Amino acid sequence: MPVIAGDIYFDKVRKEYGRVTALEQLDLRVAAGERLVLLGPSGCGKTTALRLVAGLERVTSGKLYLNGRLANNLEPGERDVAMVFQNYALYPHMTVWENIAFGLQVRRVAKEEIKARIKEALAILGLEGLEERRPRELSGGQRQRVALARAIVKQAPYFLLDEPLSNLDAQLRTQARTELVRLHRKLNSTMIYVTHDQVEAMTIGQRIAILAGGVLQQVDTPENIYNRPANTFVAKFIGNPPMNLLPGIVKGNQLFLGEGLKLIIPGNWSAWLLGKSQNRVIMGLRPEDVTLREEGVAEGEGLPVRITWRENCGKERLYYLAAGDKELTASFSEGRTEPRGGELWLTIDWDKVHFFAEGDGNSLGYPWNTRELSLKAYA
Amino acid sequence: MKTKIPWWHFPLLLVVLGSLLPLIWMLATAWKTPEQVFNASLNPWPYPATAANFAYVMGAIPLGRYILNTFIIAFIVTAAKLLTSILAAYGFTQFSFRGRETLFYLCLLSIFVPFTVTMMPNYLFMSRMGWLNTYTGVALPQMADALGIFLLRQSIRSIPPSLVEAARLDRVGHGRILGRVLLPAIKPSLIALGILFFINTWNEYFWPLLMINDKSMYTLPLALQMFTNLEGGTNWGAMMAAATLASLPPVVAYLLAQRYVVDTFIHSGLKG
């Protein structure tokens, strides 16, 4: 049941609740048929953005376009959006069939058509045989799928999901992620998916929009969000354990991270940073991008560290490290030899380092062409 | 297996018995002959039992007529109160407009206006409209109730807003949101409130007393009072028989609905 998708355009959209600003000037374009994830911590404005699209909230200022049509003052019913709520919002006194059929009946879809659509949706979601059950007689996973079925029978060009997996257990969630992506491929509608879970975002989104404090931080492919975070917020928010962020001072080709912590910056980076005329920087290092060595390294080639805590997570091992007064984490996949305690050296793969400006925390970019990566990510 | 009963159930039991005693006394006396009633012993058991009191009451006053009067008034008032409460509660929860909360609290304030304050103005109004001795006169001033609005507003607010939002996204109009989404979800509250309204109206004494002096329009509480006066305060068996008959309908209504209330409570909600 593929539908004709529409695009969504937030043009300087702002939303205030009384004195609280939920969204500060959001500029975002969601392409027709795209699967976009709105990601951020609680209270970042992601659900607000979704509810603005649905018409459940009104835009305070700015313009919201649905398929090129100004939608600021459209009633929710006039917007042709299908939505799955976090608590599923199934009508408790109606059966599964009635729940799914209700919206179609209200819109006077022909009886035969309703029957056909529901049958198809039930088949796609594996809900056959549950038609006469009431929501309270269903498991969490089944309720979630009924909510999805109710949304897809609308055959709406916009498909909005508000943390639909947050009430499921971990195993079901993994399975439901795959199902959702498959479902979207079948439907082809424009999908906005709200979550605070970075794994869901990385696996479901074709693009991810990260919000914090009502401000859009970055919109990009999951690959670029991970590999080219636009600022320290994104860098810390994506990745588990989060990226190590070490403030330091650049002097020529040397980076001072603190007492006795000095690194020699390779030529491409030092030229790049010089060009940015920013000597107070924050260096970002993903825990999986560092190496621990037992043998000493030349001065400026690595940082002396001590292991303060170890965690075995099965597929990986986490090391909590102290380097002078700085704390870092390092992670290694299983199978590598366990470093012994005592004084170790942490060395860095400079191709995987990130630099941010101290102050606003924005990325200082990379001394190599990043477009190549973007294109690869889209392909 | 022996179940242990906590000691503090015994004082509770005494209180329960104490409050049941008048009822038991009423029921028992209704089946006693005058000799048994005036027997010095406090034996509540009517032996041998007699139905003569009931026959006497049925013959002495048109009880059927009074039950019908009371039922019509209680039914109209209950239905009207529920309707006005539902609509007002819907407005107070589903529409956002300037002064909504102020209006609601003003509405609540009316709970604290004593009946004696509104009694005379209402009486004068009904009398000018020529509604003395009519069902309208008795029922009209009781057709809205801030308590009902308050309780239903609370019930509606306890329903997840996403239910209504899901309906709005499906272009469901207000009538259907109310009828197909909200009311089924608050059915237990509606039934409980309905019973409360019905019993209160059924037992209402003072307002019908003001409004009605035509005996054919009497409600049961008025009829009981009249009957007591007629009997000169000695025919206890007959008086208790009349009281028993008068209290039957609300008890039956309550018993029927109680089963239903419990039922809906068990089956409501979406707890997983």
Side-chain angles (χ1 to χ4, degrees), chain A residues 42-285:
Chain A
S42 325
C44 70
K46 55 191 192 299
T47 296
T48 301
L50 194 76
R51 293 171 61 84
L52 287 172
V53 176
L56 298 173
E57 306 288 347
R58 286 294 164 93
V59 168
T60 305
S61 69
K63 287 173 180 148
L64 175 72
Y65 295 93
L66 293 178
N67 216 6
R69 178 177 170 215
L70 185 66
N72 284 27
N73 293 316
L74 289 184
E75 285 295 318
E78 299 171 322
R79 297 187 183 210
D80 227 358
V81 302
M83 183 161 171
V84 177
F85 292 85
Q86 185 171 6
N87 61 2
Y88 314 140
L90 300 178
Y91 307 118
H93 51 283
M94 295 188 197
T95 63
V96 167
W97 183 279
E98 289 165 344
N99 257 291
I100 304 174
F102 184 49
L104 299 178
Q105 287 162 348
V106 169
R107 270 173 296 141
R108 299 183 190 285
V109 178
K111 262 194 183 143
E112 286 308 305
E113 172 78 10
I114 293 181
K115 214 170 171 181
R117 285 198 204 176
I118 297 183
K119 283 238 153 107
E120 192 182 355
L122 292 176
I124 290 175
L125 293 159
L127 288 167
E128 291 124 319
L130 301 177
E131 292 88 344
E132 296 309 314
R133 298 256 190 108
R134 280 171 210 274
R136 63 169 186 274
E137 298 160 339
L138 300 174
S139 71
Q142 288 168 334
R143 283 178 203 166
Q144 187 258 339
R145 276 179 284 146
V146 174
L148 279 176
R150 188 171 70 180
I152 66 178
V153 293
K154 277 187 89 171
Q155 306 192 345
Y158 308 101
F159 194 22
L160 312 178
L161 300 104
D162 187 6
E163 312 219 17
L165 308 185
S166 58
N167 292 334
L168 302 182
D169 60 47
Q171 209 177 349
L172 263 180
R173 216 181 292 176
T174 315
Q175 188 191 333
R177 285 202 309 253
T178 331
E179 280 175 10
L180 270 176
V181 173
R182 286 216 186 99
L183 187 64
H184 175 253
R185 283 192 186 139
K186 256 189 211 127
L187 296 175
N188 203 33
S189 50
T190 309
M191 174 165 144
I192 300 187
Y193 184 102
V194 163
T195 183
H196 62 266
D197 182 314
Q198 49 163 310
V199 181
E200 275 174 30
M202 297 292 281
T203 49
I204 289 173
Q206 290 169 318
R207 283 195 307 155
I208 300 176
I210 297 186
L211 285 160
V215 180
L216 185 63
Q217 307 291 320
Q218 187 172 6
V219 198
D220 216 324
T221 60
E223 288 78 3
N224 281 349
I225 293 269
Y226 190 79
N227 294 313
R228 301 287 175 261
N231 57 38
T232 47
F233 178 85
V234 176
K236 257 208 130 58
F237 194 72
I238 295 283
N240 185 26
M243 185 185 280
N244 297 301
L245 293 175
L246 304 169
I249 296 167
V250 178
K251 280 187 187 150
N253 69 343
Q254 292 185 327
L255 174 66
F256 294 93
L257 295 168
E259 189 67 37
L261 301 174
K262 187 177 77 175
L263 288 170
I264 309 276
I265 310 173
N268 58 348
W269 267 115
S270 73
W272 179 260
L273 293 176
L274 192 68
K276 296 280 163 192
S277 59
Q278 176 88 24
N279 62 0
R280 289 188 169 272
V281 298
I282 296 169
M283 183 169 72
L285 281 174

Side-chain angles (χ1 to χ4, degrees), chain A residues 19-32:
Chain A
R19 281 185 202 160
V20 182
T21 305
L23 270 182
E24 273 182 40
Q25 192 167 314
L26 178 63
D27 284 291
L28 178 63
R29 203 185 275 275
V30 189

